[in-house]
Amino acid sequence: MTIDILRLSNVSRVYGKDATQVRALTDVSLSIAEGEFVSIVGPSGCGKSTILNMMGALDQPTQGEVHFDGDSLSEMSRGELTDLRLQKFGFVFQAFNLLPVLTAAENVQFILQLLGFARRERQSRTEAVLDALGLADVADRPATELSGGQQQRVAIARALVGEPALLFADEPSANLDSTSTRELCELLRQINSDRGITVITATHDPLVMSYTSRSIHLEDGRVVEDKSNL
């Protein structure tokens, strides 16, 4: 029996007012089942990042409802949404968003500090996730000295170290070559299959899309196709 971990009901998002108004999403309804590996695809400006922000509680819809695990995000306080993002969601941003003055390990440990883990537990969890992602040998290297592929893996390690239920990746291959993109996709698929984490990625890259089990196609802020890749 599949369980819906995310559900969007008639979600619209409008930015600006009057003459400057931009409609980023229009009446989007869809569900994501627990354990799925989903790609949100479409051309630039179609609403991919916007819908990812709605799902990840980084933004609120102008109309409609977003539910996570049966709970409406619109009914949560700002503090509850912050806790939800920290405890249940992992984010991998297009620009990685690593803190340049910190090492790879320190970037990962930062999330565990926010979660309130003791120092020894932070170190243990960080060492384990960096080792699992093949980053043990660069753990003490500053983020600015890492390659693009290594920075991407550190970003994924940071997203995973708190053991989230959902992993969001926004254009994860944007700064990678084709070889690094394949390695990234294999890694995301392994995370999804081995750890049971639901993975949702926004992408316009056909290579990334080919690794996912389901593709949701957007055009002009609307879902135009929702298909299985299996």
Side-chain angles (χ1 to χ4, degrees):
M1 177 181 177
T2 60
I3 301 173
D4 289 340
I5 194 168
L6 265 180
R7 180 164 52 86
L8 278 65
S9 303
N10 306 112
V11 168
S12 296
R13 185 63 172 99
V14 178
Y15 297 101
K17 294 182 179 180
D18 302 325
T20 62
Q21 189 177 95
V22 176
R23 182 170 287 273
L25 292 176
T26 301
D27 198 30
V28 172
S29 295
L30 58 87
S31 296
I32 306 291
E34 189 175 26
E36 279 198 282
F37 186 5
V38 179
S39 53
I40 311 292
V41 303
S44 179
C46 71
K48 298 190 302 294
S49 293
T50 301
I51 199 171
L52 217 64
N53 288 341
M54 298 294 118
M55 292 175 170
L58 294 170
D59 196 4
Q60 292 282 343
T62 306
Q63 293 178 320
E65 291 282 342
V66 180
H67 288 81
F68 168 73
D69 206 17
D71 295 323
S72 173
L73 300 190
S74 64
E75 296 178 1
M76 295 184 184
S77 67
R78 183 174 297 181
E80 289 172 332
L81 289 173
T82 298
D83 289 342
L84 177 66
R85 290 191 296 267
L86 189 60
Q87 297 170 10
K88 298 295 184 179
F89 298 163
F91 297 93
V92 182
F93 299 100
Q94 184 175 340
F96 310 142
N97 288 9
L98 300 179
L99 297 172
V101 298
L102 301 183
T103 66
E106 289 168 341
N107 267 284
V108 175
Q109 282 197 42
F110 179 69
I111 295 297
L112 296 178
Q113 283 183 281
L114 295 177
L115 286 167
F117 283 95
R119 183 176 181 180
R120 182 174 295 180
E121 181 70 8
R122 294 200 305 265
Q123 291 176 335
S124 175
R125 281 180 174 242
T126 296
E127 289 173 4
V129 73
L130 289 177
D131 183 59
L133 298 187
L135 293 166
D137 58 339
V138 299
D140 296 324
R141 193 176 298 175
T144 52
E145 295 181 9
L146 302 176
S147 68
Q150 288 170 333
Q151 289 185 48
Q152 182 70 281
R153 283 177 176 261
V154 172
I156 292 172
R158 181 182 59 188
L160 289 178
V161 72
E163 300 181 357
L166 271 165
L167 178 65
F168 297 98
D170 191 6
E171 297 285 5
S173 65
N175 299 303
L176 303 179
D177 58 30
S178 59
T179 299
S180 296
T181 296
R182 288 187 183 278
E183 292 175 352
L184 168 67
C185 291
E186 292 286 357
L187 177 59
L188 291 176
R189 186 156 63 184
Q190 181 180 356
I191 289 166
N192 172 248
S193 61
D194 293 355
R195 301 189 181 210
I197 294 174
T198 305
V199 179
I200 304 173
T201 177
T203 185
H204 64 269
D205 188 337
L207 179 57
V208 176
M209 182 173 56
S210 71
Y211 277 81
T212 63
S213 58
R214 175 185 172 195
S215 298
I216 300 169
H217 294 248
L218 297 182
E219 286 184 13
D220 299 324
R222 297 178 182 271
V223 175
V224 295
E225 187 178 37
D226 187 344
K227 67 175 185 177
S228 170
N229 296 334
L230 299 177

